[in-house]
Amino acid sequence: SGLRADHHNLASETVLDPRASLFYQIAGNSNIRASWGIFHQFPEPLLYAPVYGNPALGSQKATHYIVGYEYRLDDAQIRAEVYYKDYDDLVIENDAVEFINNGRGYARGLELFFKRGVLFQDKLNGWISYSFLQSRRLQTRDTRSGRIEEFAPSAFDITHNLRCEGFLFRRI
């Protein structure tokens, strides 16, 4: 467990972020993990500008929940994790004061990871990972009839991501 503290001068705000993790070894080679934590992030400084932004903006908050399983051998590893992230106080545009902490949303997903071999020891080694992500957040969009709020995927939402990396090592 732990606690992170941060003070932001522009927001005149101090935040405390508690975090905790549990680890349980099922057998010699396998374990399960569970983690929880709160994370704060302050908006970029430009958004605090009196004319363009809102000097009264506060921090944005995310609460993370993660559960995972891992199996290890000497030269191989398999890991699977599921997660859910709840977002509050996200900055969104507003007609009256430009920006406000009224946004909310979530992200949830699954990550799978497989690794085989040890770099520079095994002739062939590498890893493959897959992630699935689904997110929704309250955001604004300008239309011909004015600005509207909508609950839509995050701009950074990559629903399916597959990545592979392999190395062939030859002794000289």
mmCIF file of all heavy atoms in Angstrom, residues 96-114:
data_model
loop_
_atom_site.group_PDB
_atom_site.id
_atom_site.type_symbol
_atom_site.label_atom_id
_atom_site.label_comp_id
_atom_site.label_asym_id
_atom_site.label_seq_id
_atom_site.Cartn_x
_atom_site.Cartn_y
_atom_site.Cartn_z
ATOM 1 N N ALA A 96 -20.235 28.922 -21.118
ATOM 2 C CA ALA A 96 -20.240 30.034 -20.168
ATOM 3 C C ALA A 96 -18.830 30.401 -19.689
ATOM 4 O O ALA A 96 -18.465 31.566 -19.683
ATOM 5 C CB ALA A 96 -21.127 29.694 -18.982
ATOM 6 N N VAL A 97 -18.035 29.423 -19.247
ATOM 7 C CA VAL A 97 -16.709 29.723 -18.686
ATOM 8 C C VAL A 97 -15.577 29.018 -19.422
ATOM 9 O O VAL A 97 -14.491 28.868 -18.881
ATOM 10 C CB VAL A 97 -16.651 29.360 -17.181
ATOM 11 C CG1 VAL A 97 -17.490 30.304 -16.356
ATOM 12 C CG2 VAL A 97 -17.018 27.929 -16.943
ATOM 13 N N GLU A 98 -15.799 28.601 -20.637
ATOM 14 C CA GLU A 98 -14.816 27.909 -21.475
ATOM 15 C C GLU A 98 -14.538 26.471 -21.044
ATOM 16 O O GLU A 98 -14.767 25.568 -21.784
ATOM 17 C CB GLU A 98 -13.507 28.688 -21.596
ATOM 18 C CG GLU A 98 -13.631 29.971 -22.379
ATOM 19 C CD GLU A 98 -14.067 29.773 -23.821
ATOM 20 O OE1 GLU A 98 -13.723 28.757 -24.435
ATOM 21 O OE2 GLU A 98 -14.761 30.660 -24.338
ATOM 22 N N PHE A 99 -14.026 26.240 -19.829
ATOM 23 C CA PHE A 99 -13.690 24.886 -19.391
ATOM 24 C C PHE A 99 -14.192 24.663 -17.968
ATOM 25 O O PHE A 99 -14.090 25.545 -17.124
ATOM 26 C CB PHE A 99 -12.179 24.647 -19.441
ATOM 27 C CG PHE A 99 -11.610 24.764 -20.823
ATOM 28 C CD1 PHE A 99 -11.024 25.945 -21.255
ATOM 29 C CD2 PHE A 99 -11.678 23.693 -21.704
ATOM 30 C CE1 PHE A 99 -10.508 26.050 -22.532
ATOM 31 C CE2 PHE A 99 -11.161 23.792 -22.981
ATOM 32 C CZ PHE A 99 -10.578 24.977 -23.398
ATOM 33 N N ILE A 100 -14.709 23.468 -17.694
ATOM 34 C CA ILE A 100 -15.181 23.106 -16.362
ATOM 35 C C ILE A 100 -14.833 21.640 -16.076
ATOM 36 O O ILE A 100 -14.584 20.867 -16.989
ATOM 37 C CB ILE A 100 -16.717 23.314 -16.205
ATOM 38 C CG1 ILE A 100 -17.487 22.495 -17.257
ATOM 39 C CG2 ILE A 100 -17.073 24.788 -16.289
ATOM 40 C CD1 ILE A 100 -18.990 22.543 -17.076
ATOM 41 N N ASN A 101 -14.828 21.276 -14.800
ATOM 42 C CA ASN A 101 -14.564 19.898 -14.377
ATOM 43 C C ASN A 101 -15.876 19.119 -14.289
ATOM 44 O O ASN A 101 -16.257 18.628 -13.235
ATOM 45 C CB ASN A 101 -13.887 19.870 -13.008
ATOM 46 C CG ASN A 101 -12.461 20.313 -13.045
ATOM 47 O OD1 ASN A 101 -12.172 21.464 -12.770
ATOM 48 N ND2 ASN A 101 -11.560 19.415 -13.383
ATOM 49 N N ASN A 102 -16.580 18.971 -15.396
ATOM 50 C CA ASN A 102 -17.886 18.306 -15.400
ATOM 51 C C ASN A 102 -17.866 16.954 -16.111
ATOM 52 O O ASN A 102 -18.880 16.290 -16.178
ATOM 53 C CB ASN A 102 -18.912 19.208 -16.080
ATOM 54 C CG ASN A 102 -20.071 19.527 -15.176
ATOM 55 O OD1 ASN A 102 -19.950 19.396 -13.973
ATOM 56 N ND2 ASN A 102 -21.163 19.946 -15.763
ATOM 57 N N GLY A 103 -16.731 16.568 -16.674
ATOM 58 C CA GLY A 103 -16.660 15.328 -17.440
ATOM 59 C C GLY A 103 -16.543 14.103 -16.552
ATOM 60 O O GLY A 103 -16.083 14.161 -15.417
ATOM 61 N N ARG A 104 -16.993 13.000 -17.092
ATOM 62 C CA ARG A 104 -16.896 11.715 -16.392
ATOM 63 C C ARG A 104 -16.778 10.625 -17.445
ATOM 64 O O ARG A 104 -17.013 10.860 -18.618
ATOM 65 C CB ARG A 104 -18.107 11.493 -15.500
ATOM 66 C CG ARG A 104 -19.398 11.359 -16.271
ATOM 67 C CD ARG A 104 -20.620 11.336 -15.362
ATOM 68 N NE ARG A 104 -21.824 11.035 -16.109
ATOM 69 C CZ ARG A 104 -22.446 11.852 -16.932
ATOM 70 N NH1 ARG A 104 -21.974 13.055 -17.140
ATOM 71 N NH2 ARG A 104 -23.537 11.490 -17.563
ATOM 72 N N GLY A 105 -16.445 9.429 -17.018
ATOM 73 C CA GLY A 105 -16.350 8.339 -17.972
ATOM 74 C C GLY A 105 -15.721 7.103 -17.354
ATOM 75 O O GLY A 105 -15.551 7.011 -16.145
ATOM 76 N N TYR A 106 -15.362 6.182 -18.237
ATOM 77 C CA TYR A 106 -14.733 4.945 -17.776
ATOM 78 C C TYR A 106 -13.916 4.336 -18.906
ATOM 79 O O TYR A 106 -14.083 4.660 -20.079
ATOM 80 C CB TYR A 106 -15.779 3.932 -17.292
ATOM 81 C CG TYR A 106 -16.647 3.387 -18.407
ATOM 82 C CD1 TYR A 106 -16.244 2.278 -19.155
ATOM 83 C CD2 TYR A 106 -17.861 3.981 -18.729
ATOM 84 C CE1 TYR A 106 -17.026 1.787 -20.184
ATOM 85 C CE2 TYR A 106 -18.651 3.492 -19.751
ATOM 86 C CZ TYR A 106 -18.225 2.392 -20.481
ATOM 87 O OH TYR A 106 -18.996 1.914 -21.507
ATOM 88 N N ALA A 107 -13.033 3.427 -18.529
ATOM 89 C CA ALA A 107 -12.305 2.583 -19.474
ATOM 90 C C ALA A 107 -12.258 1.198 -18.860
ATOM 91 O O ALA A 107 -12.090 1.048 -17.646
ATOM 92 C CB ALA A 107 -10.889 3.104 -19.712
ATOM 93 N N ARG A 108 -12.446 0.188 -19.688
ATOM 94 C CA ARG A 108 -12.355 -1.186 -19.205
ATOM 95 C C ARG A 108 -11.681 -2.015 -20.275
ATOM 96 O O ARG A 108 -11.757 -1.705 -21.460
ATOM 97 C CB ARG A 108 -13.719 -1.733 -18.844
ATOM 98 C CG ARG A 108 -14.689 -1.778 -20.005
ATOM 99 C CD ARG A 108 -16.056 -2.219 -19.555
ATOM 100 N NE ARG A 108 -17.008 -2.111 -20.648
ATOM 101 C CZ ARG A 108 -18.300 -2.037 -20.484
ATOM 102 N NH1 ARG A 108 -18.814 -2.062 -19.278
ATOM 103 N NH2 ARG A 108 -19.096 -1.967 -21.516
ATOM 104 N N GLY A 109 -11.008 -3.055 -19.817
ATOM 105 C CA GLY A 109 -10.303 -3.833 -20.809
ATOM 106 C C GLY A 109 -9.663 -5.092 -20.275
ATOM 107 O O GLY A 109 -9.807 -5.463 -19.103
ATOM 108 N N LEU A 110 -8.924 -5.715 -21.174
ATOM 109 C CA LEU A 110 -8.261 -6.989 -20.940
ATOM 110 C C LEU A 110 -6.904 -6.929 -21.613
ATOM 111 O O LEU A 110 -6.783 -6.413 -22.735
ATOM 112 C CB LEU A 110 -9.094 -8.119 -21.552
ATOM 113 C CG LEU A 110 -8.422 -9.463 -21.777
ATOM 114 C CD1 LEU A 110 -8.263 -10.179 -20.444
ATOM 115 C CD2 LEU A 110 -9.230 -10.310 -22.732
ATOM 116 N N GLU A 111 -5.882 -7.440 -20.944
ATOM 117 C CA GLU A 111 -4.556 -7.529 -21.535
ATOM 118 C C GLU A 111 -4.020 -8.945 -21.362
ATOM 119 O O GLU A 111 -4.104 -9.522 -20.279
ATOM 120 C CB GLU A 111 -3.606 -6.528 -20.884
ATOM 121 C CG GLU A 111 -3.987 -5.096 -21.176
ATOM 122 C CD GLU A 111 -3.008 -4.084 -20.622
ATOM 123 O OE1 GLU A 111 -2.036 -4.474 -19.933
ATOM 124 O OE2 GLU A 111 -3.220 -2.891 -20.880
ATOM 125 N N LEU A 112 -3.487 -9.502 -22.451
ATOM 126 C CA LEU A 112 -2.870 -10.827 -22.451
ATOM 127 C C LEU A 112 -1.427 -10.677 -22.903
ATOM 128 O O LEU A 112 -1.147 -9.942 -23.860
ATOM 129 C CB LEU A 112 -3.612 -11.771 -23.394
ATOM 130 C CG LEU A 112 -5.105 -11.950 -23.121
ATOM 131 C CD1 LEU A 112 -5.750 -12.744 -24.249
ATOM 132 C CD2 LEU A 112 -5.323 -12.633 -21.783
ATOM 133 N N PHE A 113 -0.511 -11.384 -22.261
ATOM 134 C CA PHE A 113 0.911 -11.243 -22.548
ATOM 135 C C PHE A 113 1.574 -12.608 -22.456
ATOM 136 O O PHE A 113 1.344 -13.359 -21.505
ATOM 137 C CB PHE A 113 1.525 -10.280 -21.517
ATOM 138 C CG PHE A 113 2.995 -10.057 -21.661
ATOM 139 C CD1 PHE A 113 3.482 -9.140 -22.575
ATOM 140 C CD2 PHE A 113 3.894 -10.753 -20.867
ATOM 141 C CE1 PHE A 113 4.851 -8.917 -22.687
ATOM 142 C CE2 PHE A 113 5.255 -10.544 -20.979
ATOM 143 C CZ PHE A 113 5.737 -9.620 -21.887
ATOM 144 N N PHE A 114 2.392 -12.925 -23.461
ATOM 145 C CA PHE A 114 3.169 -14.170 -23.457
ATOM 146 C C PHE A 114 4.599 -13.836 -23.849
ATOM 147 O O PHE A 114 4.842 -13.159 -24.851
ATOM 148 C CB PHE A 114 2.589 -15.193 -24.437
ATOM 149 C CG PHE A 114 3.445 -16.414 -24.591
ATOM 150 C CD1 PHE A 114 3.493 -17.369 -23.591
ATOM 151 C CD2 PHE A 114 4.212 -16.594 -25.720
ATOM 152 C CE1 PHE A 114 4.300 -18.489 -23.720
ATOM 153 C CE2 PHE A 114 5.016 -17.719 -25.869
ATOM 154 C CZ PHE A 114 5.062 -18.672 -24.864
#
